[in-house]
Amino acid sequence: MEKARGAKRVARARPTGWRSGSPAGPHRYVLMLAYWFAVVATLLFSTLYGWHSWQRYKESGIDRLTLTTTLIAAAAREDLDREASGLRFLAGRLRAMDALHHPRRARRLLRAYQEVSPEIASAELVRSDGQVVASTAVPKGRPLPDFSKIPRIWPGVRRALQHPGLHLHRPLHGPLVGHWVIGFSDTLVDRASRTRFLVTTPMRFRNFEALFAQLPLSTGLAVGIMRDDYYLEARAPIPRGNLRTLLGRPQNGILAQTLKRHPRTAQGVFSGWVSVDREYRYGVFARISGYPLIAFADVPRALWVARWWRSQAEIPLIFLVAALVFSGFAYRQVQTLAIRWEVEAARRAELLEDLVTHDPLTGLLNRKGLYPVLKRMMARSHRNARLLALGFLDVDDFKGINDHYGHAAGDAVLKTLAQRLEAALRGTDCVARIGGDEFVLLIEGLRDKAELAPIIDHLRSGLAMPFRAGRREVSVRVSLGVSFFPTDTEGMERLLDLADRAMYAAKGQAHGGEPIRVRLHDQDVPAGPDRSKADPPE
C-alpha cells in the first residue's frame, strides 16, 4: 500500500543538491580549492626550505672540509720539510765522507740517523747502478741487494738517479723491511768520482696516521694524501682489505677524475663516487706546496644528509606532518558539516516545495502542483495516442459533515478519502486536492473510454467501506465528473472546466444507494453547472 501510494505522488518535488546529483554549493569548491592551495603552498615552501637549508648546510660543510684540508696540507708539508731537512743533512755528510768508498763509515752514519729518526723504516746508500752500498735494514755480514734486479723498485730509483735532488716515491711493500713504506730520497754527485749516488730514508706508511691523529677530525671524515700521478700516499682511516689493492695502483675515483680535469688547480671541491669506499662523498683537495702531493678530506653524503636531517629538517618536518594531519582532519570536519548543511538545506527546500505544491492535510498535490503533472500527462497521452481521463470529484454535503461531526471529523474524512482514492488508482495515475472537498483524478494510458469502467469499480469498492471519525461512523458520498483528453478538448483549463461541469451534472443524479455518482462529459452536460442541484435530496 505504501509503495503504491508513493508511486502515485509523481509530482512531488525532487530534492535539490546532493540528492538530485546536481553540483555541490560553490562554497564547497572554494573551500576545497583553498585547502589544496594551502597544502600545495605548504609542500612547496617546505621543499624550498629543505633545499635552501641543505645548500647552507653543504656550504658550511665544505668550509669545514676546506679548513681540515688546509690543516692537513700544512701539517704534511711541515712534516715533509722536517724529513727533507734531515735527509739533506744526511746526504751532505755522506758526500763529505766519500761514502761510496767507505761503506762501513756510511753504515754507521745511517744507523745513527735512524736512531734519532724513529719515523723512518730504514736508511740505504745506493750507487748509480742500483747496488746498495750500505743499509740499516740488512744485518751486518749479509749480502746487500741490487735494486736494479727488483722490477717494482728499480724504475723509481732509476728516475731519481737521473735527476739530482729530493724525490718522494710511490708506496712500496719494501723488500728490506717487510711492510709498506713511502720512499724519500736525495740524489747527489760524489766529489771524487763525479758519479751519482742516492740516499733513501723510506718512511713507514702508518707514520701519516700519527700525523692525522693530531688533527681534530670528526666522525666519518676520511683524509689522505695523493700523489699527482694518482697513487695514494696515505689515508685515514685505512679501509679494510688488501693494502696492495689500495696502494699498488693509481686511483680512478672522483678525486682522480677532478684532478685530471683541473691539473693546475691549487684547491678545489669534488663530489661523486669514491673508488676506495665505493660510496658517494663530498670532499675538498689542496695541493701541498713544494711536493707532488695533494691533501684531501671527504665525508659520505649519507652522513651529511643524516646530520642535516637531525639538525635542521627533522623537527620542522614533524611540525609540517602534524600541521598537514590537523588541517586534513579540520578540512574533513568542515566538509562533513558542509555536507550536513547542504542535506539540511535540501530537506528544507523540499519541505518548502512540498508546502507550495502539496496539500498539508492529505499530502496530495494541490492546485499549483497539479498543473505541471497534468501538462506532462497530456504530452505523454498525445505522444502515445492514448486517452487521458480527468476526474473532478466532490464530497456531497461536506458542510453537513463538518456541522454535524465537527471539523476534526471532516479532516479525518478527507484524509481517509485521499488514501482510498490513491489506493484505488493505478501506480501511474495521480490524485490531487484542489479545494476544501474537491479532488482531481488523472488517469492516463486509456485506449478508449470503456477502460475507465474497471477503475470506477475500484473507486466504488473503496468508497463503499465505512468512514470513521474517531469511534463514530460517517456516511460519505461523492460525485465524479470525467472529461477526456484529447477527444473532449486539448486545453488544460478547458479540460478541468468540462470535468467540473460533468461533476455538477452528476450531483443532479439520484444516488441509488451508491457511494459515488459518476457522469462522463458529453453533449448533454449543461454549459454551466447548476449549483441549485448540487446536492439534491435523496
Side-chain angles (χ1 to χ4, degrees):
M1 179 71 72
E2 292 296 329
K3 183 176 180 182
R5 188 177 301 126
K8 289 161 189 164
R9 298 180 184 179
V10 294
R12 186 175 294 274
R14 293 185 179 182
T16 59
W18 67 278
R19 298 177 73 178
S20 61
S22 60
H27 65 281
R28 286 184 60 191
Y29 288 117
V30 172
L31 179 63
M32 181 176 66
L33 290 176
Y35 170 74
W36 285 112
F37 175 80
V39 170
V40 172
T42 303
L43 292 176
L44 180 61
F45 172 78
S46 303
T47 302
L48 292 177
Y49 167 78
W51 180 84
H52 182 67
S53 65
W54 167 249
Q55 294 300 319
R56 288 190 294 109
Y57 185 86
K58 190 166 68 171
E59 290 173 3
S60 175
I62 293 297
D63 292 340
R64 293 193 298 271
L65 288 177
T66 301
L67 178 60
T68 301
T69 305
T70 303
L71 290 175
I72 294 172
R77 186 173 186 275
E78 181 180 354
D79 193 58
L80 290 172
D81 285 346
R82 185 174 59 254
E83 293 295 331
S85 177
L87 182 58
R88 287 193 182 100
F89 173 79
L90 175 63
R93 292 291 304 273
L94 291 171
R95 183 184 184 190
M97 71 169 55
D98 192 14
L100 292 179
H101 297 92
H102 302 88
R104 292 183 179 180
R105 291 174 58 189
R107 186 176 186 278
R108 285 195 297 269
L109 181 59
L110 293 176
R111 183 170 293 279
Y113 181 79
Q114 185 178 4
E115 289 176 355
V116 298
S117 303
E119 66 275 5
I120 66 173
S122 63
E124 285 80 35
L125 177 64
V126 185
R127 289 195 319 230
S128 58
D129 60 356
Q131 178 62 49
V132 177
V133 177
S135 174
T136 61
V138 179
K140 186 177 180 180
R142 291 191 178 183
L144 296 171
D146 185 352
F147 284 167
S148 65
K149 297 180 180 179
I150 304 176
R152 55 193 177 89
I153 298 179
W154 177 239
V157 173
R158 182 175 57 188
R159 281 192 299 270
L161 287 168
Q162 292 172 354
H163 303 282
L166 291 174
H167 297 275
L168 192 63
H169 300 265
R170 297 172 183 171
L172 291 171
H173 194 269
L176 302 181
V177 294
H179 54 75
W180 285 93
V181 294
I182 300 173
F184 200 19
S185 65
D186 190 10
T187 303
L188 299 172
V189 179
D190 183 69
R191 286 183 176 181
S193 61
R194 308 298 296 175
T195 59
R196 293 179 180 178
F197 67 94
L198 181 143
V199 181
T200 177
T201 55
M203 298 176 292
R204 293 181 175 86
F205 174 76
R206 297 187 180 272
N207 190 48
F208 279 108
E209 286 191 69
L211 172 65
F212 295 150
Q214 300 174 9
L215 301 175
L217 303 180
S218 60
T219 304
L221 182 67
V223 297
I225 298 175
M226 180 181 284
R227 293 171 52 87
D228 57 5
D229 58 359
Y230 316 121
Y231 280 85
L232 278 178
E233 291 280 24
R235 190 181 189 276
I238 298 176
R240 297 177 180 179
N242 188 359
L243 274 181
R244 187 178 300 278
T245 304
L246 176 65
L247 305 177
R249 62 185 181 185
Q251 300 297 310
N252 57 1
I254 186 61
L255 176 57
Q257 297 173 20
T258 304
L259 293 173
K260 290 176 182 178
R261 288 195 300 268
H262 308 283
R264 298 183 181 276
T265 302
Q267 189 177 59
V269 178
F270 64 93
S271 62
W273 293 97
V274 177
S275 58
V276 175
D277 296 315
R278 294 181 177 85
E279 61 181 344
Y280 197 98
R281 286 178 171 265
Y282 293 106
V284 175
F285 68 89
R287 296 185 183 274
I288 300 176
S289 178
Y291 298 93
L293 301 174
I294 300 98
F296 66 87
D298 55 45
V299 66
R301 179 176 61 181
L303 180 62
W304 264 13
V305 171
R307 290 176 177 174
W308 165 77
W309 180 268
R310 289 193 297 270
S311 63
Q312 301 189 29
E314 187 173 15
I315 294 178
L317 180 65
I318 293 175
F319 175 78
L320 171 64
V321 172
L324 288 178
V325 170
F326 175 77
S327 61
F329 175 77
Y331 170 73
R332 181 67 177 174
Q333 294 300 313
V334 172
Q335 285 288 77
T336 302
L337 293 177
I339 292 174
R340 290 180 181 176
W341 182 87
E342 289 180 5
V343 172
E344 183 63 23
R347 190 189 66 80
R348 289 195 300 267
E350 180 182 3
L351 179 60
L352 291 175
E353 188 171 351
D354 280 349
L355 292 175
V356 172
T357 60
H358 288 73
D359 173 43
L361 178 64
T362 62
L364 299 176
L365 290 173
N366 59 17
R367 184 179 292 274
K368 186 173 182 179
L370 172 67
Y371 285 109
V373 178
L374 178 56
K375 185 176 181 180
R376 289 196 296 271
M377 284 189 169
M378 291 172 67
R380 276 199 302 271
S381 297
H382 181 75
R383 185 170 58 251
N384 299 330
R386 292 287 189 271
L387 293 179
L388 170 64
L390 187 148
F392 203 106
L393 185 143
D394 181 84
V395 180
D396 297 339
D397 194 24
F398 184 70
K399 182 177 181 302
I401 295 175
N402 280 334
D403 292 342
H404 186 73
Y405 297 102
H407 289 282
D411 290 344
V413 167
L414 292 177
K415 290 181 182 179
T416 304
L417 178 59
Q419 294 171 1
R420 293 184 183 181
L421 291 176
E422 282 191 306
L425 297 184
R426 301 168 304 176
T428 56
D429 301 332
C430 180
V431 182
R433 181 189 177 203
I434 62 172
D437 61 338
E438 294 177 337
F439 296 84
V440 171
L441 283 63
L442 300 179
I443 305 168
E444 65 176 345
L446 301 176
R447 292 183 176 84
D448 52 40
K449 295 181 180 181
E451 290 190 355
L452 184 62
I455 300 174
I456 298 298
D457 291 338
H458 281 292
L459 286 172
R460 185 175 287 108
S461 300
L463 297 175
M465 292 183 292
F467 287 78
R468 293 187 178 276
R471 295 182 179 180
R472 292 174 293 180
E473 185 174 320
V474 180
S475 176
V476 177
R477 291 184 175 86
V478 299
S479 298
L480 176 65
V482 182
S483 60
F484 292 91
F485 171 86
T487 56
D488 293 335
T489 181
E490 293 186 359
M492 187 184 308
E493 292 294 339
R494 179 64 176 168
L495 192 65
L496 283 167
D497 183 60
L498 294 179
D500 185 38
R501 293 180 187 181
M503 182 271 295
Y504 278 104
K507 283 183 178 289
Q509 303 173 177
H511 265 295
E514 294 291 332
I516 180 171
R517 291 177 292 189
V518 181
R519 177 69 183 269
L520 304 183
H521 176 266
D522 53 28
Q523 297 299 328
D524 297 331
V525 174
D530 186 359
R531 303 278 178 177
S532 62
K533 299 180 179 179
D535 291 302
E538 297 183 19

